């Protein structure tokens, strides 16, 4: 199975994961600072900044883009409950 | 009129600045608001009307069931075909209840809401109308002209929903502040210099509605404080026309952490709460305390929940940076005093605080994981799996507790021990 590395910059911790893993599945187990509300892409609580490897995440859906827009997200922000890892990337809480 | 004003009997609009009218409703018998708030003498649903040379604006409406009073007051000073602008500063049903009927009576009016309000508008008004309203979204410094009057919007999210905003009438220096600076206090004399003593209601409202969002209060105050203010007109409680700036200053005072001033900028506060039946969890707590206390820059506190009450502990938690909860497991659960405290934290912001759990158990030991899940649910960061000890902790286990306390304190001051690249499959 293809693997990828994700680094949580706030705790400077890297995890090697199977491609396709959602960030929400990793960040809580590792104790990173991304926090969650609805866990289904509606509330925007888990917004995070992708500092490297923006293209190594699945594309945001129309609904995710709407939530990001409403929450005045910066460039390269994503919802951790929605984004799946395809290749190496670095993230930190927004 | 002001000296004898009684809006319980005076059913028309009340003008408090040239062309600016209160057209709200009284709800004196309400005793509980929104489940969480007591209302000892009811509340008011304040709605306002502004007349400019180019038309009329309505700012906020009233709760469903109070439309008659609202429309009667509105009709005493304006015709529906004069209404050009409707502003909703906050979409909660106590302010949007009369909106569908108002839009029906004034179909030419344009509705202005904040950028964060669109999904709420659709979800809230779905039962009342098949077609969504036409609306314009606005944010800070967007303006709407009423001819010789101008309304300017201030984006003030989370005070008290994500959608909330304030609207400033520039020429009259009136701030229609939504729930900000409001309170549940019903007095037919309407103005802060006429009503009874509402100080408790003002602080109580802040403590339950605004307190969880202090950082957003501070951001809102940065927009509000530079304004010239003759009147602050909130959606609940007295209209603040007598020295309104006092209430703005009071909000800043209430939103400033007292403990951070005490600790200084460099120290972090770590608090350990525990309950213990045979002294085992207490011994673990003491060992964790000793470990955490060795870390420079951390002020550690240790509290036995048996000897305290919830409310002051909530105050402590609000100003703490890390929280550790120790609970034995009794009948497969954490003990009630721990849950009592953990279920009383909706009024404070815990986002990003560090959490950890520990506890002694007899045979199953579920409490630690349950408390960790609760802390994650409260949006805390749980960086390390907690320590569970079967019955009486050995010296080795107490040493582990000391190391655990030191590790959590180190994480708190940014000295987290690096663990190299972790395999996902190794994470529990």
């Amino acid at each position: 199975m293809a693997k990828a590395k994700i680094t949580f910059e706030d705790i400077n911790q890297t995890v090697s994961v199977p491609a396709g893993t959602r960030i929400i599945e990793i960040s809580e187990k590792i104790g990173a600072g991304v926090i969650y509300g609805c866990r289904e892409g509606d509330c925007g609580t888990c917004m995070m900044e992708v500092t490297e490897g923006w293209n190594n995440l699945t594309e945001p859906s129309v609904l995710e883009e709407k939530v990001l827009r409403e929450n005045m997200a910066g460039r390269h922000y994503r919802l951790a409950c929605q984004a799946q890892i395809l290749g190496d990337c670095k993230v930190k809480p927004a | 009129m002001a000296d004898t004003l009684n809006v319980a009997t005076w059913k028309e609009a009340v003008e408090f600045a040239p062309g600016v009218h209160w057209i709200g409703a009284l709800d004196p018998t309400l005793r509980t608001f929104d489940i969480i708030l007591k209302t000892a003498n009811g509340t008011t649903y304040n709605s306002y009307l502004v007349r400019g040379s180019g038309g009329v604006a309505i700012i906020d409406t009233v709760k469903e069931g109070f439309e008659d009073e609202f429309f009667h007051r509105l009709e005493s000073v304006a015709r529906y075909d004069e209404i050009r602008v409707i502003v909703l500063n906050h979409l909660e049903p106590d302010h949007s209840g009369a909106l569908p009927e108002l839009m029906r009576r004034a179909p030419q009016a344009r509705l202005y809401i904040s950028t964060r309000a669109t999904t709420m508008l659709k979800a809230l008004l779905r039962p009342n109308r098949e077609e969504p309203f036409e609306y314009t979204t606005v944010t800070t410094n967007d303006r709407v002209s009423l001819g010789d009057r101008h309304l300017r919007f201030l984006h003030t999210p989370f005070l008290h929903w994500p959608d909330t905003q304030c609207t400033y009438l520039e020429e009259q220096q009136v701030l229609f502040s939504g729930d900000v600076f409001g309170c549940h206090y019903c007095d037919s004399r309407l103005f802060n210099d006429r009503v009874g003593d509402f100080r408790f209601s003002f602080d109580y409202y802040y403590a339950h509605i605004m307190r969880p969002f202090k950082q957003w209060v501070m951001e809102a105050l940065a927009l509000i404080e530079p304004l010239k203010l003759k009147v602050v007109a909130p959606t609940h409680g007295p209209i603040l026309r007598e020295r309104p700036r006092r209430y703005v200053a009071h909000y800043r005072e209430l939103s400033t952490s007292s403990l951070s001033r005490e600790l200084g900028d460099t120290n972090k506060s770590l608090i350990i709460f525990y309950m213990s039946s045979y002294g085992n969890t207490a011994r673990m707590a003491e060992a964790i305390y000793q470990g955490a206390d060795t870390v420079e820059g951390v002020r550690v506190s240790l509290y036995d929940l048996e000897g305290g009450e919830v409310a002051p502990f909530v105050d402590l938690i609000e100003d703490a940076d890390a929280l550790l909860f120790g609970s034995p497991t009794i009948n497969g659960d954490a003990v009630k005093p721990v849950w009592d405290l953990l279920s009383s934290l909706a009024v404070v912001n815990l986002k990003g605080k560090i959490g950890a759990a520990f506890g002694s158990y007899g045979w199953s030991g579920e409490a630690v994981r349950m408390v960790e899940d609760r802390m994650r649910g409260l949006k805390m960061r749980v960086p390390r799996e907690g320590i569970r000890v079967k019955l009486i902790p050995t010296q080795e286990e107490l040493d582990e507790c000391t190391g655990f306390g030191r590790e959590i304190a180190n994480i708190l001051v940014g000295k987290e021990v690096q663990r190299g690249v972790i395999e996902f499959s190794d994470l529990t």
Side-chain angles (χ1 to χ4, degrees):
Chain A
M1 185 185 289
K3 305 223 26 173
K5 289 194 183 75
I6 177 167
T7 300
F8 296 92
E9 288 196 332
D10 60 320
I11 57 170
N12 195 20
Q13 183 63 59
T14 302
V15 186
S16 175
V17 300
T21 308
R22 280 182 199 272
I23 291 175
I24 186 173
E25 296 174 52
I26 314 157
S27 67
E28 283 193 318
K29 285 183 176 170
I30 206 72
V34 182
I35 52 173
Y36 296 92
C38 69
R39 297 165 184 264
E40 55 187 20
D42 191 35
C43 72
T45 304
C46 64
M47 202 155 67
M48 59 176 187
E49 184 179 355
V50 184
T51 54
E52 278 182 37
W54 165 256
N55 292 320
N56 289 338
L57 295 171
T58 48
E59 290 285 316
S61 67
V62 173
L63 285 175
E64 184 183 342
E65 281 183 343
K66 184 173 188 303
V67 172
L68 290 168
R69 205 164 46 244
E70 284 179 358
N71 285 279
M72 290 168 287
R75 195 161 172 262
H76 292 175
Y77 278 38
R78 292 294 304 271
L79 299 182
C81 71
Q82 299 297 302
Q84 292 170 269
I85 300 161
L86 301 175
D88 293 356
C89 59
K90 292 184 177 179
V91 301
K92 63 181 184 183
Chain B
M1 185 177 65
D3 285 332
T4 57
L5 177 63
N6 178 354
V7 291
T9 53
W10 175 263
K11 296 294 185 184
E12 298 186 5
V14 178
E15 187 173 24
F16 59 93
V20 184
H21 304 260
W22 177 82
I23 54 168
L26 304 183
D27 189 358
T29 60
L30 187 78
R31 289 295 173 265
T32 303
F33 184 88
D34 214 5
I35 304 172
I36 60 167
L37 283 171
K38 295 293 179 191
T39 52
N41 72 349
T43 193
T44 65
Y45 309 111
N46 296 335
S47 172
Y48 301 98
L49 182 148
V50 178
R51 177 177 288 283
S53 62
V56 165
I58 306 295
I59 299 166
D60 293 313
T61 76
V62 296
K63 188 178 177 181
E64 192 173 8
F66 294 83
E67 298 97 327
D68 289 349
E69 193 174 338
F70 163 73
F71 286 120
H72 188 84
R73 292 190 206 279
L74 190 159
E75 288 166 14
S76 71
V77 282
R79 298 188 317 272
Y80 291 109
D81 63 6
E82 294 180 294
I83 300 172
R84 281 195 43 241
V85 170
I86 299 170
V87 176
L88 276 191
N89 282 327
H90 176 26
L91 267 63
E92 197 170 1
D94 52 327
H95 309 299
S96 59
L99 180 70
E101 180 60 19
L102 179 61
M103 295 290 282
R104 196 189 65 75
R105 294 186 188 192
Q108 76 288 344
R110 188 74 181 179
L111 175 64
Y112 292 85
I113 56 176
S114 82
T115 50
R116 300 285 291 271
T118 56
T119 52
M120 286 177 177
L121 183 74
K122 287 167 187 161
L124 275 169
L125 300 177
R126 190 187 299 138
N128 295 327
R129 200 173 159 108
E130 287 176 10
E131 292 300 316
F133 297 131
E134 293 293 319
Y135 56 81
T136 299
T137 60
V138 288
T139 189
T140 299
N141 288 334
D142 285 343
R143 293 167 89 229
V144 173
S145 173
L146 296 170
D148 59 348
R149 308 281 173 90
H150 297 84
L151 298 171
R152 178 149 58 92
F153 300 100
L154 310 176
H155 185 58
T156 56
F158 296 103
L159 309 180
H160 98 249
W161 280 9
D163 65 305
T164 39
Q165 62 179 1
C166 297
T167 303
Y168 181 61
L169 176 58
E170 294 177 338
E171 290 77 8
Q172 262 70 42
Q173 299 171 3
V174 176
L175 181 70
F176 302 103
S177 58
D179 281 353
V180 186
F181 309 120
C183 63
H184 290 311
Y185 186 87
C186 183
D187 192 315
S188 58
R189 293 166 292 186
L190 215 56
F191 296 100
N192 66 322
D193 53 314
R194 290 285 183 271
V195 300
D197 188 342
F198 68 102
R199 288 175 295 178
F200 165 77
S201 302
F202 190 89
D203 283 4
Y204 179 78
Y205 188 88
Y206 175 93
H208 286 78
I209 302 292
M210 302 297 160
R211 184 179 177 184
F213 303 104
K214 283 183 175 179
Q215 68 185 88
W216 296 102
V217 173
M218 295 300 238
E219 291 191 21
L221 290 176
L223 296 175
I224 292 167
E225 285 169 340
L227 300 175
K228 291 179 177 170
L229 293 175
K230 284 186 178 158
V231 182
V232 171
T235 44
H236 295 292
I239 298 169
L240 310 170
R241 67 179 181 186
E242 170 70 21
R243 294 195 289 158
R245 202 161 281 284
R246 275 186 309 163
Y247 300 91
V248 179
H250 191 46
Y251 255 48
R252 180 163 285 280
E253 191 181 328
L254 291 170
S255 303
T256 305
S257 162
S258 53
L259 190 62
S260 63
R261 288 197 295 265
E262 186 72 22
L263 285 177
D265 292 335
T266 53
N267 275 334
K268 300 274 191 183
S269 169
L270 181 152
I271 302 181
I272 304 163
F273 295 101
Y274 69 92
M275 277 294 287
S276 191
S277 49
Y278 288 101
N280 297 323
T281 301
R283 276 195 282 279
M284 295 176 73
E286 180 66 31
I288 290 168
Y289 173 89
Q290 298 296 344
D293 199 39
T294 61
V295 176
E296 185 89 16
V298 178
R299 173 98 56 108
V300 189
S301 314
L302 182 64
Y303 285 103
D304 184 347
L305 286 172
E306 193 177 359
E309 292 178 3
V310 166
F313 284 152
V314 172
D315 292 344
L316 281 172
I317 286 170
E318 182 177 30
D319 277 336
D321 302 294
L323 301 164
L324 284 76
F325 289 91
S327 175
T329 299
I330 295 183
N331 292 340
D333 199 355
V335 295
K336 188 170 180 298
V338 173
W339 288 131
D340 285 345
L341 184 53
L342 285 170
S343 64
S344 303
L345 301 175
V347 294
V348 294
N349 180 19
L350 302 170
K351 199 171 167 181
K353 290 187 195 296
I354 287 174
F358 60 94
S360 164
Y361 66 96
W363 60 94
S364 55
E366 294 92 335
V368 170
R369 301 292 169 259
M370 285 176 163
V371 170
E372 287 173 344
D373 283 345
R374 174 64 179 155
M375 288 192 286
R376 288 192 192 97
L378 290 168
K379 300 183 174 52
M380 294 171 65
R381 181 189 159 211
V382 182
R384 291 290 180 271
E385 196 170 280
I387 298 187
R388 300 155 70 240
V389 167
K390 193 171 178 76
L391 294 169
I392 301 170
T394 63
Q395 187 55 51
E396 193 175 284
E397 286 166 333
L398 289 175
D399 290 345
E400 192 187 341
C401 289
T402 305
F404 183 70
R406 190 164 47 242
E407 187 176 17
I408 297 293
N410 271 320
I411 289 170
L412 185 58
V413 294
K415 293 180 189 162
E416 198 156 353
V417 177
Q418 293 311 304
R419 293 183 282 179
V421 176
I422 295 174
E423 284 295 322
F424 184 58
S425 55
D426 292 339
L427 294 171
T428 54

